[in-house]
Amino acid sequence: MNSSLLLPAFYLPPVSYFHAIKQAGSEALLLEKHEHYAKQSYRTRARIASANGVLDLIVPIVHGRKERVAMKDIRINYEHDWQRLHWLSLQTAYRSSAYFEYYEDDFRKFYDRQHAFLFDFNFAQLELLLTCLKLNRSVHFSEAYVSPESAADLRTLIHPKRDHFWPTQPAYYQVFEERHGFLPELSVIDLLFNQGPQSKNFL
C-alpha cells in the first residue's frame, strides 16, 4: 500500500511522533513490521517526567541468538514483573496531573494483560493514543520491508540518542515543571495526562 507516512511501532511514543502524524495530514499511516529490530530506540523505551527528572521506562525483550530479527517477531520478556513497575511509575508520576484519572482505565489494561509480541503491544497503544488525541487515521502494516526511499520515512528520524525531531515543540504545563523546568520530547502520555482533550492543540 502507498502511504505518505511510514512509521515504526514505538512504546508510548514521544510527542514528536504524533506531531509528525498531525502535520502530515495523511489519513493513512503505514506501520513498519519487517524492519530489523533497533536496539536502544523508542521501540522499547518511553520517557516520562518523574520527581527526579526524566525517567526511561524500558520494555524487556527476549534476546535470541540471531542478531537481526524482524520487529514483528520480537517477543516481550515477562521473567521480571516490569508491567507492575511501569504502572507504578506512571501512577507516581501522574497521579496528581489533571487528567490521569480520566484516562487511567484505558492505559491500565496494558499492564494487566500480557502481549506476546512487542509489535502487537505497541500497535494496540497506538490505536488508543490516536483515539485519545482525536487523530482520525487508519493504520496499515507493511507487507515487506519498505525501501528507505519511501516519501516521509520516520523509521530512523525519531530516536532518543539523536537531536530532537521537533526542536520547536511548544511548552505545556507539566507536574514537576517548577522543579525541572519544561521537559520536551517526553512520551505523549505526559502531554495527554496534563492537557487531556486539549492535547491535540499542542501538536
Side-chain angles (χ1 to χ4, degrees):
M1 163 186 176
N2 293 324
S3 174
S4 62
L5 196 59
L6 177 61
L7 296 163
F10 285 165
Y11 171 48
L12 297 176
V15 173
S16 59
Y17 186 94
F18 293 94
H19 163 72
I21 290 174
K22 183 182 178 185
Q23 296 305 312
S26 173
E27 293 301 317
L29 307 176
L30 184 61
L31 212 58
E32 176 65 84
K33 290 185 71 171
H34 297 273
E35 63 175 355
H36 289 146
Y37 167 72
K39 298 178 180 178
Q40 298 184 338
S41 71
Y42 286 123
R43 288 158 184 79
T44 53
R45 180 187 309 256
R47 289 184 162 168
I48 65 172
S50 74
N52 296 319
V54 176
L55 174 65
D56 283 358
L57 302 179
I58 300 174
V59 178
I61 63 170
V62 176
H63 293 278
R65 295 181 179 179
K66 296 180 181 179
E67 290 187 4
R68 294 188 173 184
V69 180
M71 180 65 182
K72 67 181 179 65
D73 296 323
I74 295 293
R75 290 182 174 272
I76 298 176
N77 190 334
Y78 291 99
E79 288 183 5
H80 303 287
D81 195 5
W82 64 268
Q83 288 177 293
R84 183 184 66 81
L85 294 176
H86 282 208
W87 184 243
L88 181 61
S89 295
L90 292 173
Q91 287 180 304
T92 302
Y94 297 110
R95 176 61 70 191
S96 63
S97 66
Y99 292 95
F100 179 79
E101 291 185 359
Y102 182 80
Y103 296 108
E104 180 176 7
D105 290 342
D106 290 330
F107 285 92
R108 184 179 186 116
K109 63 185 180 183
F110 293 109
Y111 304 95
D112 286 339
R113 60 163 293 197
Q114 294 184 357
H115 286 75
F117 293 95
L118 177 65
F119 183 90
D120 297 334
F121 181 59
N122 291 352
F123 169 61
Q125 291 180 336
L126 175 60
E127 285 193 306
L128 171 61
L129 288 164
L130 288 171
T131 299
C132 292
L133 293 167
K134 302 175 184 177
L135 293 171
N136 185 22
R137 303 290 189 273
S138 60
V139 182
H140 305 269
F141 304 139
S142 62
E143 297 180 359
Y145 179 74
V146 180
S147 167
E149 288 76 26
S150 174
D153 184 355
L154 298 186
R155 289 173 297 185
T156 62
L157 296 182
I158 303 175
H159 195 282
K161 295 187 179 298
R162 296 195 178 96
D163 290 339
H164 291 166
F165 176 76
W166 187 20
T168 58
Q169 179 189 341
Y172 56 87
Y173 172 77
Q174 294 174 328
V175 174
F176 302 106
E177 186 171 350
E178 290 186 4
R179 189 176 304 185
H180 304 294
F182 177 73
L183 300 173
E185 195 61 349
L186 298 179
S187 167
V188 75
I189 60 170
D190 183 85
L191 172 62
L192 198 62
F193 292 158
N194 283 301
Q195 297 299 324
Q198 302 303 315
S199 295
K200 186 177 181 180
N201 297 334
F202 291 86
L203 299 175

